[in-house]
Amino acid sequence: MTRPDTPTVSGRLRSIGRFEFTALLAMSMALGALGIDLMLPAFDAMRADLGLAADSNAIAATVTTYFLGLALGTFIYGPLADRFGRRPGLFLGYGVYALGGIASALATSLELLLVTRFVWGIGAAGARVIAFAMIRDAYEGDEMSRAMSHVMAVFILVPIVAPTLGAGIVALSSWRWVFGVCVVCAVGITAWTVRMPETLHAEYRLEASLTRLARAGRVVVSNRVTVGYGLGMTALYAVLIAYLGSAEVIFGETFDQDANFPYIFGGLAAVTGISMLVNARFVRSIGTRRVAHTVLLVYLLAAAGLVALALSSGGRPALAPFLAGLAAMFAGHALMIPNMNSIAMEPMAQVAGTASSILGAVQLGVGALLGSFIDQAFDGTVLPLSIGFAVYGLLALALVLWAEGGRLRLRRRGGGAPATM
């Protein structure tokens, strides 16, 4: 079985244009980020309303359970998208997302909120999984990396503005309206998606059977490049998830920056978005692998510097150098994750939906569990998070080396061979 030529698939995008295709996928994925970033400034109000101590980090579990829901949801949407097409999966995800948001807004206890956040995460998984599959449908090689970078650069606009918007909502009304805004956005994106063409060629829709799923799964897990880079991204996602769960309490308790938290969070997100746009240019000129491998080495040096800063200051460094260290970390993530995801997906042309599901489930599920270790280790200092960047960065390097047979490719080379079934 072979995949239809990219020009045939890409030609379908002419009905909306490449720019609108990118923007729509980015904003669909952004619904997932909105479900986290918009509520971060509401943590204090949520603690008070739900009967938690003012300094309790138990509220961070609302981030972890959301990511666990995302992980489970990815197993659902990929196979459905390979069988019935990309559009139906998108609409299903939007619907579950809206239901989870409404239920979370009505939750009366932390336990109930965690359950509803889990359901909400299942809904958010739809757009994430299918967006990656649609990019793989339409693009190949370095062009796929560039498209991924553009989608994620637009997507990162949400973390830039969401905390400030969330803080404004909490200042004017109940924290529950934060979740209501997410539901309204989901309805708007659903209406926009009506314009999205189907990118999966009808001849390459796969039957919905356990045998086919098992066969597709074997294609994924038997490819060394896909597994190595997929697990490497899992390590990188782990520390990002830990940061999302701990950022509010770190900047509030360690640095006494509660009032400035939305601006700090948004500024770091802006660094990420700009870096993703830069990545699209780097990939065109020097290649996907060379960017990913070079940045990974620089990332580890910066992580070592962040650990040294934390150790030398007893875990409470001055805000400015710590923010500079975080900016370096997030720039590294922005230059690695789109490229590593593209390298992992490149051999998976004919099972793109299922491959996106498996990779997403592992990255988010295992990443959330690994990230929770950092959250639980929080001791009022930045040392656990700093060590997390270094340790998980080293793990990512080891996995990439395994995927590449022990060598980093610092010279431009092509991607892996297509998968076959």
Side-chain angles (χ1 to χ4, degrees), residues 10-146:
S10 298
R12 299 183 178 194
L13 306 183
R14 293 172 187 163
S15 62
I16 62 172
R18 178 169 178 162
F19 177 82
E20 187 176 356
F21 176 73
T22 298
L24 181 50
L25 287 184
M27 296 313 295
S28 296
M29 287 181 60
L31 285 175
L34 194 69
I36 298 172
D37 301 330
L38 198 65
M39 78 169 185
L40 295 179
F43 273 5
D44 282 341
M46 294 167 67
R47 289 188 186 98
D49 196 18
L50 298 174
L52 301 175
D55 61 348
S56 172
N57 204 32
I59 200 72
T62 59
V63 175
T64 302
T65 53
Y66 185 86
F67 273 105
L68 290 175
L70 272 168
L72 176 63
T74 57
F75 278 120
I76 300 171
Y77 296 101
L80 289 177
D82 280 344
R83 173 63 183 90
F84 299 105
R86 313 310 190 199
R87 280 166 48 93
L90 282 175
F91 288 121
L92 175 62
Y94 297 150
V96 177
Y97 180 99
L99 289 175
I102 293 171
S104 294
L106 300 176
T108 55
S109 68
L110 177 61
E111 293 75 18
L112 182 57
L113 180 59
L114 296 181
V115 173
T116 59
R117 289 283 293 170
F118 181 77
V119 174
W120 192 346
I122 292 175
R128 184 185 186 280
V129 170
I130 294 173
F132 286 142
M134 294 181 84
I135 292 170
R136 184 61 189 88
D137 289 340
Y139 303 105
E140 293 181 339
D142 289 348
E143 280 300 305
M144 181 168 58
S145 293
R146 294 183 67 245

Side-chain angles (χ1 to χ4, degrees), residues 33-304:
L34 194 69
I36 298 172
D37 301 330
L38 198 65
M39 78 169 185
L40 295 179
F43 273 5
D44 282 341
M46 294 167 67
R47 289 188 186 98
D49 196 18
L50 298 174
L52 301 175
D55 61 348
S56 172
N57 204 32
I59 200 72
T62 59
V63 175
T64 302
T65 53
Y66 185 86
F67 273 105
L68 290 175
L70 272 168
L72 176 63
T74 57
F75 278 120
I76 300 171
Y77 296 101
L80 289 177
D82 280 344
R83 173 63 183 90
F84 299 105
R86 313 310 190 199
R87 280 166 48 93
L90 282 175
F91 288 121
L92 175 62
Y94 297 150
V96 177
Y97 180 99
L99 289 175
I102 293 171
S104 294
L106 300 176
T108 55
S109 68
L110 177 61
E111 293 75 18
L112 182 57
L113 180 59
L114 296 181
V115 173
T116 59
R117 289 283 293 170
F118 181 77
V119 174
W120 192 346
I122 292 175
R128 184 185 186 280
V129 170
I130 294 173
F132 286 142
M134 294 181 84
I135 292 170
R136 184 61 189 88
D137 289 340
Y139 303 105
E140 293 181 339
D142 289 348
E143 280 300 305
M144 181 168 58
S145 293
R146 294 183 67 245
M148 194 82 70
S149 294
H150 287 142
V151 166
M152 298 190 76
V154 177
F155 154 80
I156 212 68
L157 290 173
V158 170
I160 294 174
V161 302
T164 302
L165 177 59
I169 294 171
V170 173
L172 296 174
S173 61
S174 167
W175 61 269
R176 298 178 186 276
W177 278 106
V178 169
F179 296 159
V181 169
C182 294
V183 174
V184 172
C185 290
V187 173
I189 295 296
T190 301
W192 188 9
T193 302
V194 172
R195 288 180 47 79
M196 175 68 78
E198 178 58 61
T199 61
L200 180 64
H201 199 288
E203 295 180 6
Y204 295 92
R205 297 190 180 194
L206 304 177
E207 61 178 305
S209 70
L210 292 178
T211 300
R212 201 280 303 171
L213 290 177
R215 190 163 61 244
R218 284 197 298 272
V219 171
V220 176
V221 301
S222 63
N223 188 286
R224 183 168 178 158
V225 169
T226 298
V227 172
Y229 279 91
L231 292 178
M233 283 188 293
T234 300
L236 296 176
Y237 270 113
V239 72
L240 280 181
I241 294 169
Y243 166 76
L244 290 173
S246 299
E248 182 263 352
V249 69
I250 285 176
F251 290 116
E253 181 178 330
T254 307
F255 295 101
D256 194 24
Q257 294 290 323
D258 292 284
N260 294 322
F261 171 70
Y263 311 110
I264 293 172
F265 190 90
L268 291 170
V271 170
T272 305
I274 293 170
S275 300
M276 286 181 176
L277 290 175
V278 171
N279 177 66
R281 292 183 175 274
F282 282 171
V283 165
R284 169 172 282 180
S285 61
I286 65 177
T288 302
R289 271 183 165 81
R290 186 177 177 186
V291 172
H293 294 176
T294 302
V295 172
L296 181 53
L297 295 178
V298 175
Y299 175 92
L300 288 170
L301 291 175

